[in-house]
Every structure is written in structure tokens, then in C-alpha cells.
Amino acid sequence: MKDDTDFGTEDESKKRKKEKKSAADIVPVDQQLPNKLFIVPIVGRPIFPGIFTPLMINNTDDAKMIEQAYETDGYIGIVMLRTELEKPKLSDLYTVGTVARIIKKLNLPDGGLNVFVSTIKRFKIRKTLSSANPMVAAVSYLEDVEDDTFEVKALTRALISEMKEVSENNPMFSEEMRLNMVNIDNPGKIADFITSILNIERKDQQRVLEMTNVRQRMEQVLVYIKKEQEILRVQKKIQNEINDKVEKNQRDYFLREELKSIQEELGIASDSKSSDYQKFKTRLAAFNFTGEIKETVDSELEKFQLMDTHDPDYVSTRNYLDLVLSLPWNDSPVERYQLHEAKKILEGDHYGLDEVKKRIVEYLAVRRLKNDSKGSILILVGPPGVGKTSVGHSIARAMNKPFFRFSVGGEHDESNIKGHRRTYIGSMPGQIIQGLKITKTKSPVFMIDEVDKMNASAQGDPSAALLEVLDPEQNVNFRDTYLDLPFDVSNVFFILTANTLDTIPQPLLDRAEIIELSGYIDQEKIEIAKRYLIPKNLEKNGLKRSQVKYTRSALLLIATEYAREAGVRNYEKCLDKIHRKLVREHVDSYEASLADGKPGAESKAAEARSTKSRSTKSAVQPESSQDTVLPEVEQQAREEAAKLQALLSKNTFSIDVPQVRTYLGKPLFDESQIKRASVPGTALGLAWSSMGGDTLLLESIAFASDRGELQLTGQLGDVMRESALIALSWVKKYAISHGIVQPEWFEKNTIHLHFPEGATPKDGPSAGITIATAFLSLLKNKKIKANLAMTGELSLTGQVLPIGGLREKTVAAKRNKIKTIIFPRTNERDLEEIPELIKEGLTFVPVSNVQEVLERVF
């Protein structure tokens, strides 16, 4: 239905009739009130009779009901909800409401309605006709019970008088409200009007609406007015006290400023101690300290006030107070990050590491779902140079949190983590509290590097100190030795990095989520170089990205012959070396041309432009302050650098295989260094260490001896020595039972097993089947297949047991041009976590016992 002001298809006569009808219906006629009403629930406060007010209808079902009521007689019943519900029923409403007539309705752009109604009379719901939308009820109308007595008149005057006092002290009451209150002649309506404008609970207003006895209604309203007056009196008292404090603060401020001016005029320096004390006191007022913290800080502040500046403890106390009042005690951690943005940051910052990024995103998704700001603990494990620290930076950026990093590599003093005692000279808080002071938040991202390289000493065990920091049950009240106050560090996101887990205490590992970062293969190194390393290093050396072009074969050559380690640090060093040599050649050429007195045309043009610019500047304006400050030599150096950069930017360089060999020199690795089991008694094994995966060439020989023993060399650990003994025992049994050698052969010959690169310590059980294969190759005098390597622990009965680090070992095998890898069958599930790019070109042979190994290797 359209509004009266809308010019639509209705003719003018119908519009005039509708306008007359609406105008006439403003005055209610009791005989016209219907016995059935559409019920409109309201959430806020009840609406009393005798009021002309707008209603906002946003609910679609309510809007339809209003349209239906407007089309019929225009009456609706307005009833307040007991509790706020999305889809209420009639039983959820109070039983007493107000009947109203729709005077006008306006359609809003969002589909809602703005309805102007005139409230008429109280009613009570007698019977439910329709409980759901549209709600319809049979109603009976409530009449006011009025006593025309002196008591009612006295109550009327009392209400008006008391409300005048309330309105005078409350600026929220307008002059129009006061006039309306005075001009109402009906006692019951006066009580209704006053109730509707008083700031009381909605239940109390509903209670007044349900009262039909006018005298009781007025008495109840008088009680509410008295309460309002009492609140206003208290409010006025508080306001006066605040004004007094403000005036005192202003007076103190002006006096202090005046004193400062007097001291400046007299040349008297202000007291630094008093200044510090006032600063500490002001900062302390901003914190709502309680209990132990308040007592300690107040005591220290009082002690500081009484101290002499020459007291030995003066600086110590001042530093302590400065630390306490700089910590984020009042910070409320809130998680502010979007999962898709976090994924974008991780993908943009790192190439590869798909499994790592997937686990981090899953981890962040759980935190996002739970809206959990509690801290967590991750341990990133992998060889050097694979990007553990940069992953930590990316996690902090993805979570939109400040990042703080410190290293505990070689740490042997737990005080650097938990702080020193304040009794010592030069004492300071531990790294945890220092990080919180720097980041100024309770929920930063802390990266603790090299946790596998901590050492216990007479000064304590740093790893034990970390246990308290990382324990969710204890770090809610972490107590730094220097601070000596409980501080909640449970919201800190801890990221630990390590090259190996072997030296990390098991209780520390139990508290953390472990994520392993493996080494990179050559193809991954090339992509990382193209996307990250080359642009970064070109900028570092003053070159532009468009000036230097690398061929793929050149990048591959660097990876295979100069930087074959698991990470990319040496790869970046090689790129840096190439770029430095490019820049040096250019600078040498430029200086040689200057020495010959024949600078190039470009140099002359640049010099002419520079000279013209300086002469124009000096002719137009005097020398600027910057020209005055900079010495002439420095100015010339800057101009020379600008000329060099201008000349260099016009040159482009193409780097191919010959240029790489020229700039980097003799390769560190070549084809001759690829390990091969080329003679009987040798075998290739796969190993894992803190530096990543690697291939091991095992060598064994036999020679006549009276003792018939096993000799082991190559810095082998206890576990690997035991693996060699187990392998020899199994091989003895197998060789004798299959007639390969006679039993007395082992008594007359000594077997020597050697692991090359003897300066590198080696340990672990995963070389068991490789040792056994080398022994059998020696006894049979047969070579094993080319480009084949193996890994697996051997039991005394010939079973092949599972190993760890299969991904790293696979990367090492591919780097050594291995084609076939023999591994334990129980490790087949680990193949799913290895990217297809790494597995490409490799054949994986799972085995359950050493007999299956022997069927494959010869």
C-alpha cells in the first residue's frame, strides 16, 4: 500500500477519502475498538496510552502484519517481550499491552516500515487465536479505576512538583516535556507520561502499565521519582568532586609551570630525581595493580623517593621501577588475522615447504575457530639455511603480531632466560621479560633460536629454565628472578628452532608441536634463487633486477658444483660473489677511463647535467642548509656514486655457465666427488644429521689375521658400533649356511669396516642393512648395482626396522644421482609426505627383511 504523498494509480477522490479517514481516526472512539487484535511484539520499553509515536518495523512477517492491519481497521496491539527472541510466540509476551491506531506508514528503502501510531488504551490478552506470525489474540480492555478524592489530587501535585525538580537537574528533559506534563489533566495519564520518560527498568515500566488503580499507580511512580532524585543527587556530588579535582590539577599545573619559569630565570636546574618520581607516580596511576604487585611497586616507589641520588642502590631502584612500569600489564591480547591472508603471506615469503606451510595454516585455522589468544609452542627442526628463522618472521606477519628473536646457542647460564638477582651489580631481567618490554604486548611471537645447542654448567641449566617458560600450567604466573613479580606469559607464541632433536630434553619436546623442515633439491634451489635470492642480492650490491639475467643452466651449475648443501646460504654467497665481481669490473673500467683522461660520452653528459644543475641552483637561490652541512668531499663522493649508478644502469649482464666458472673459480664439488660403490666390499647408505641428509660410502676389506676380529674406524658412536656387530653376526650365519665361506675363515681373517670423512662423528642404527650388504659384497667378491643406496636398521634375526628422516635422505640421494632407494616397508607411509618433485626419477623399494635386500642389490 502506498503512502498518502505518493502519486500512483489511485484517483484524487480516493486519496481525499483516505486522508479524511486517517485524520478522523486520530481521536479514538471506545465503541470502535475491536475484540481481536494483531499483536506487534516490541523489544525495548512498553508504550503507554495517549502517546503519538513512530515504530520501526524491520521484520518481514511483522511488516506483512502491519500491512494487513492497515488494510482493515488500522488497529494493532503493542505488547513487550519478556526476553529478546528472534522468532517469538505469543506466550513469550506479557499479557498487558496498549492498543494503537496506525495513522501513517512509510516504506523504507531496505524493505522495512516506519509506522506512526496513536496509542489509545490498555488491554489484556484473553485468548490466543494465532500464536505464530501473524500473532492474533482476543483481548479485553482495561478501564482506569479512579477515585476523585483529595488524596489523588495531592498525589498529582506531588508528582508534578517532584518531576520539576528532576527535570531541572537533568538536561535530558526538554521544555516540551515539561509543558506536556503540566497540561495533562488526567491523573492516570500524568502517571503514564512520567513513567514513559523516567530512566527506570523496563520491567518496572511494564508493572506500571499493568496497574489499573490510578492511586496505586501514582504512588508507585512517586517512588520511582524519589529513586531518580537520589541518583541525581549522587551524580551531582560525584560531578562536583571531579570538578574540584580538575580545578586542583589545573592549579597545580600552573604553579609547576610558574616554578619552572622561575627556575629557568634564576638558572636553577630542576631536580632530576623529583622529575623521575613524578613520572613514575603518573605512570603507576595508569595501572590498576592489586595484591603483591601493588605492595611491591608502592614500596619501591616510596624507597626511591627517600633515596639520595648518590646512594649505590639509586640507579638500581630507578631501573627496576622503569622496567615494571614499562611492561604491558594491561594489554588485552586479541587475535587479528584472516586465514587467507596468512596463507598468502606464507606462500609469498617461501617457495616449497608445502607440508610446513600446510601444518602452520592448519594450526592458525584452529586458533581462528576457537578465537584463542593463548600462546603456543612450535619447534622448527631442520638443517642450516632452509629458512627456519624466516618462517618465524612470516608466522608473525601472518598473525599480525610483533616479532622478537633471541638465540640460546652455546648458552650455559639460566640467568639470561630468567634474569639475575637484583643484588648483583649490572643485573638485568631475562630475555623473556626484555622481549615483552620491547614488543609492548602480552601476545608477541617469540623466536628462540638454536635450542639444541644449550649447555648445562655451574651457572645452571638453561633448558630447565625454559621448561617453566614454556609450561602452560606454570607460565601464567612466570616469575623472572630480576622482576620477582608474577607475570602472565601464557599468551606468547613461542617458536623454537633447532638443527636436531637429539640434544633437546624430552620434557621440552613434550610441550611443543614439532615441524620438520627438510633440505632443498636442485630444482627448488633454482626457483628460490629466481624468486628471492637474486632480487635481494642485486639490490644489496646496487644493481637493478633488469640488469642481470641468469640462464637456468647457470643456476643449476651453482647448485650442483658450488652449493650442494641442504640449505641455500652458500648458494646466496655464490650469487653475492658474482654480483660483487660484476660491480668491480664496472668500477675498474670507469676509473681507468678517468685515469686516461677519456671519460665516456655518457660520463661527460652526466657531469654536464650535474654542473648545470649546481650552477642553476646557486643562481636562483642561496645555498641550503643541507649544502652547508655536507662537506665538499662528501658532496663530491655522492656525485661520483650517482655517475657510477647512472652508467651502470645502462649495462646489462648475461650470466651463463662460462661466466659462472669464471667468477666462482674451481668447483667445490664435481662428478669425481659423487660417491659410488665401484668395488666389492663397498655399499652406499643414506644418513641424516643436523646438516641434513647425506650419502655414506661404506668400505670393508679382509686380511689374514690370527685373531679374526672386526675393526671399526670413522668416529662411530656406540649405536653404530652395535649395528656393525649385529650385521657381522647375521652375515656370519648367512655366509656359513649358504656355503659362501667356511666357518674357520672368520677365525683366520680380520674384517676392517671404515666410514670415510672420519673427522665427522657418526651414530645411529639406520646403516644396519648397508653394513650387512658391504660385508656380503666382500665375501662374495661382487659389486652391488650402480646408483643404488639403502637405509634401514637391521635386527639380529634379519628383520629391517623403521628409520627416520626419509625425506632428507631422499633429497641427499637425488643430489648424489641415485636412482634406486631401498628402505624399510614400515616407512612406506612417509613417502606420502615427500613432494612428487623430489620423488621424480627415483625408484623406491620397500623391504621387510635383509633377504629381500640381497635379492635386489647383486
Side-chain angles (χ1 to χ4, degrees):
M1 185 171 181
K2 295 189 176 183
D3 187 68
D4 296 343
T5 59
D6 189 18
F7 296 96
T9 56
E10 298 184 20
D11 55 25
E12 295 296 329
S13 61
K14 288 184 178 180
K15 288 183 180 179
R16 285 194 294 272
K17 288 179 182 179
K18 187 179 292 185
E19 289 171 358
K20 289 179 182 179
K21 179 181 177 183
S22 298
D25 290 342
I26 293 176
V27 181
V29 181
D30 289 354
Q31 289 79 2
Q32 296 178 353
L33 295 178
N35 294 326
K36 295 188 295 183
L37 289 175
F38 289 103
I39 303 299
V40 178
I42 59 174
V43 178
R45 298 170 178 270
I47 300 177
F48 288 84
I51 296 174
F52 183 79
T53 184
L55 288 178
M56 295 296 296
I57 307 297
N58 296 320
N59 188 285
T60 306
D61 295 332
D62 290 344
K64 291 179 182 178
M65 181 174 64
I66 293 293
E67 295 280 4
Q68 192 173 349
Y70 189 70
E71 292 291 340
T72 54
D73 55 8
Y75 287 103
I76 59 173
I78 302 173
V79 187
M80 190 174 70
L81 279 165
R82 296 180 186 273
T83 55
E84 186 174 349
L85 297 171
E86 188 176 349
K87 292 184 178 180
K89 297 183 179 178
L90 203 59
S91 58
D92 299 320
L93 277 62
Y94 286 96
T95 57
V96 176
T98 307
V99 63
R101 183 68 181 271
I102 302 173
I103 305 303
K104 192 173 183 179
K105 71 178 184 65
L106 298 174
N107 295 320
L108 300 177
D110 60 355
L113 293 175
N114 191 0
V115 182
F116 293 89
V117 299
S118 175
T119 56
I120 303 170
K121 200 170 188 179
R122 288 171 168 81
F123 70 83
K124 186 173 184 179
I125 297 175
R126 183 166 46 84
K127 185 179 180 182
T128 301
L129 301 180
S130 175
S131 178
N133 277 324
M135 291 186 280
V136 182
V139 300
S140 59
Y141 295 96
L142 304 177
E143 301 291 342
D144 284 350
V145 179
E146 298 185 12
D147 298 328
D148 190 13
T149 62
F150 286 107
E151 188 177 355
V152 172
K153 291 180 181 179
L155 284 170
T156 304
R157 291 184 181 180
L159 284 176
I160 295 174
S161 175
E162 297 292 341
M163 275 304 294
K164 282 183 179 178
E165 181 184 341
V166 172
S167 62
E168 288 172 357
N169 294 323
N170 193 338
M172 299 298 292
F173 287 93
S174 63
E175 188 62 31
E176 184 181 356
M177 290 181 180
R178 298 188 186 98
L179 291 173
N180 287 340
M181 182 176 61
V182 174
N183 292 329
I184 297 173
D185 56 356
N186 185 290
K189 289 185 177 180
I190 289 176
D192 289 346
F193 179 76
I194 291 174
T195 306
S196 66
I197 62 177
L198 277 177
N199 186 22
I200 60 176
E201 295 288 335
R202 58 199 295 271
K203 291 182 180 179
D204 295 333
Q205 287 187 329
Q206 178 67 28
R207 181 181 176 187
V208 173
L209 182 66
E210 294 176 359
M211 288 183 174
T212 57
N213 188 294
V214 175
R215 183 181 59 80
Q216 294 179 357
R217 189 191 308 167
M218 297 176 77
E219 290 175 348
Q220 185 62 50
V221 173
L222 192 59
V223 172
Y224 292 147
I225 293 175
K226 290 294 184 183
K227 289 182 179 179
E228 183 70 16
Q229 288 177 341
E230 185 64 28
I231 292 172
L232 287 172
R233 275 193 287 272
V234 175
Q235 183 179 348
K236 190 174 182 181
K237 179 184 176 184
I238 294 171
Q239 189 66 39
N240 290 335
E241 291 176 354
I242 292 173
N243 289 337
D244 291 341
K245 288 181 180 179
V246 171
E247 291 174 1
K248 182 180 182 303
N249 290 337
Q250 288 178 340
R251 185 172 64 254
D252 292 346
Y253 171 76
F254 288 124
L255 289 173
R256 280 195 299 268
E257 289 297 315
E258 187 175 355
L259 177 61
K260 191 184 299 182
S261 299
I262 294 171
Q263 287 176 339
E264 289 177 358
E265 288 290 334
L266 296 176
I268 302 174
S270 59
D271 185 3
S272 61
K273 176 190 167 184
S274 300
S275 176
D276 289 340
Y277 175 77
Q278 289 299 330
K279 288 179 183 177
F280 290 149
K281 194 171 182 180
T282 303
R283 288 161 63 183
L284 180 60
F287 296 100
N288 297 319
F289 288 140
T290 58
E292 178 190 358
I293 301 175
K294 180 175 176 56
E295 292 175 6
T296 303
V297 177
D298 287 344
S299 173
E300 290 292 329
L301 190 59
E302 183 180 354
K303 184 171 69 174
F304 177 75
Q305 185 185 18
L306 299 174
M307 272 184 177
D308 185 81
T309 54
H310 301 290
D311 193 313
D313 292 335
Y314 174 79
V315 175
S316 173
T317 305
R318 185 191 180 283
N319 291 341
Y320 178 78
L321 286 170
D322 183 64
L323 171 69
V324 173
L325 299 176
S326 299
L327 292 175
W329 298 94
N330 292 343
D331 182 52
S332 300
V334 179
E335 296 285 326
R336 293 189 184 93
Y337 62 88
Q338 299 292 329
L339 199 62
H340 66 278
E341 290 292 336
K343 288 194 288 187
K344 188 186 298 183
I345 289 172
L346 290 171
E347 290 292 341
D349 289 353
H350 298 89
Y351 176 79
L353 303 178
D354 295 331
E355 186 63 26
V356 176
K357 288 186 282 193
K358 184 175 78 172
R359 291 183 68 178
I360 291 172
V361 170
E362 290 170 355
Y363 196 76
L364 296 179
V366 174
R367 292 175 64 91
R368 185 91 168 83
L369 174 65
K370 294 174 63 180
N371 192 25
D372 187 6
S373 63
K374 285 294 181 185
S376 306
I377 306 165
L378 296 181
I379 295 184
L380 304 179
V381 184
V386 295
K388 298 186 292 296
T389 303
S390 62
V391 166
H393 277 282
S394 298
I395 292 174
R397 286 182 55 220
M399 298 181 72
N400 196 23
K401 291 186 174 186
F403 181 81
F404 180 77
R405 172 191 169 275
F406 65 95
S407 176
V408 292
E411 190 64 69
H412 60 274
D413 188 355
E414 67 176 22
S415 299
N416 288 332
I417 295 172
K418 290 195 63 176
H420 305 81
R421 294 189 182 276
R422 289 175 56 201
T423 53
Y424 301 144
I425 296 175
S427 60
M428 62 180 66
Q431 293 280 8
I432 304 299
I433 294 299
Q434 288 187 42
L436 292 168
K437 178 184 176 182
I438 292 170
T439 57
K440 295 180 173 57
T441 177
K442 274 188 176 181
S443 60
V445 175
F446 273 15
M447 171 162 279
I448 307 177
D449 264 340
E450 313 294 352
V451 293
D452 57 327
K453 298 177 180 64
M454 293 184 292
N455 301 305
S457 70
Q459 286 78 29
D461 187 356
S463 61
L466 274 181
L467 289 178
E468 180 185 353
V469 177
L470 303 178
D471 190 346
E473 300 299 326
Q474 300 181 52
N475 61 13
V476 178
N477 292 310
F478 171 67
R479 192 176 286 269
D480 182 270
T481 307
Y482 179 88
L483 182 66
D484 199 24
L485 292 172
F487 194 94
D488 183 6
V489 296
S490 62
N491 293 294
V492 178
F493 194 130
F494 289 101
I495 302 176
L496 283 61
T497 70
N499 298 130
T500 178
L501 299 178
D502 298 340
T503 57
I504 301 177
Q506 189 61 41
L508 196 58
L509 294 177
D510 293 341
R511 287 163 168 76
E513 171 82 9
I514 299 172
I515 297 180
E516 294 184 1
L517 284 77
S518 304
Y520 299 113
I521 60 174
D522 295 340
Q523 290 84 346
E524 290 177 322
K525 289 183 181 180
I526 292 172
E527 291 299 324
I528 293 170
K530 288 163 63 177
R531 300 188 188 190
Y532 306 104
L533 302 182
I534 293 175
K536 173 184 171 184
N537 199 265
L538 285 172
E539 183 181 357
K540 172 186 171 183
N541 288 285
L543 297 168
K544 294 182 180 179
R545 182 68 183 92
S546 58
Q547 289 182 253
V548 182
K549 302 291 183 184
Y550 283 87
T551 64
R552 189 174 183 84
S553 56
L555 295 174
L556 181 60
L557 180 69
I558 297 173
T560 55
E561 295 190 9
Y562 297 92
R564 202 181 283 180
E565 79 286 350
V568 290
R569 282 187 185 148
N570 284 334
Y571 200 107
E572 186 175 9
K573 289 178 182 177
C574 292
L575 294 173
D576 191 42
K577 188 174 181 180
I578 292 173
H579 297 154
R580 288 198 312 269
K581 289 182 180 294
L582 288 175
V583 173
R584 179 188 170 180
E585 287 179 358
H586 176 76
V587 175
D588 283 345
S589 175
Y590 173 77
E591 291 182 351
S593 66
L594 290 180
D596 294 339
K598 299 177 180 179
E602 295 174 355
S603 176
K604 287 182 178 179
E607 186 175 1
R609 287 194 297 271
S610 176
T611 306
K612 182 180 179 182
S613 174
R614 290 199 301 274
S615 61
T616 305
K617 181 176 180 180
S618 60
V620 175
Q621 60 183 16
E623 286 190 357
S624 65
S625 59
Q626 184 179 3
D627 292 334
T628 305
V629 172
L630 286 176
E632 184 179 354
V633 175
E634 186 175 349
Q635 187 70 26
Q636 290 177 355
R638 290 193 174 190
E639 291 173 0
E640 287 293 330
K643 291 177 187 178
L644 273 171
Q645 290 175 358
L647 289 173
L648 187 59
S649 63
K650 299 181 181 299
N651 296 332
T652 58
F653 306 93
S654 179
I655 307 298
D656 204 347
V657 171
Q659 286 79 17
V660 171
R661 295 193 186 279
T662 301
Y663 290 132
L664 296 183
K666 185 179 179 181
L668 300 179
F669 309 95
D670 54 30
E671 291 294 324
S672 64
Q673 290 181 294
I674 292 179
K675 300 169 184 174
R676 291 185 175 90
S678 55
V679 296
T682 59
L684 272 178
L686 297 175
W688 182 87
S689 69
S690 61
M691 303 299 288
D694 197 5
T695 52
L696 286 179
L697 177 63
L698 278 67
E699 301 173 341
S700 63
I701 60 171
F703 55 89
S705 171
D706 295 336
R707 290 183 291 180
E709 59 183 1
L710 174 65
Q711 293 183 0
L712 299 173
T713 54
Q715 275 214 48
L716 307 185
D718 292 339
V719 177
M720 188 168 279
R721 286 177 173 274
E722 290 179 358
S723 295
L725 292 174
I726 292 171
L728 181 60
S729 298
W730 187 88
V731 167
K732 280 182 179 180
K733 178 183 176 184
Y734 180 85
I736 294 171
S737 62
H738 286 73
I740 299 175
V741 293
Q742 298 301 317
E744 57 271 13
W745 186 91
F746 291 100
E747 298 175 2
K748 297 178 180 179
N749 292 276
T750 292
I751 299 177
H752 185 170
L753 178 65
H754 175 63
F755 288 73
E757 299 178 6
T760 304
K762 309 168 189 70
D763 202 4
S766 62
I769 62 173
T770 313
I771 298 172
T773 302
F775 286 160
L776 279 173
S777 172
L778 175 66
L779 297 178
K780 288 185 174 185
N781 196 27
K782 284 186 179 181
K783 295 189 297 183
I784 67 170
K785 291 181 180 178
N787 300 323
L788 181 146
M790 63 196 78
T791 179
E793 180 180 355
L794 176 65
S795 74
L796 199 56
T797 57
Q799 301 300 310
V800 180
L801 305 179
I803 46 86
L806 183 60
R807 187 188 192 279
E808 291 80 2
K809 293 176 180 179
T810 304
V811 172
K814 192 156 189 175
R815 197 181 299 129
N816 205 62
K817 299 188 178 181
I818 299 297
K819 301 297 182 184
T820 305
I821 296 176
I822 298 176
F823 70 104
R825 192 178 300 277
T826 48
N827 284 103
E828 278 189 293
R829 62 183 182 274
D830 296 336
L831 286 177
E832 301 173 1
E833 300 179 2
I834 303 177
E836 292 298 326
L837 181 65
I838 297 176
K839 294 189 290 187
E840 183 180 354
L842 293 174
T843 302
F844 292 87
V845 180
V847 294
S848 300
N849 56 69
V850 71
Q851 189 67 44
E852 297 178 34
V853 176
L854 300 181
E855 292 172 1
R856 291 276 185 174
V857 296
F858 293 112

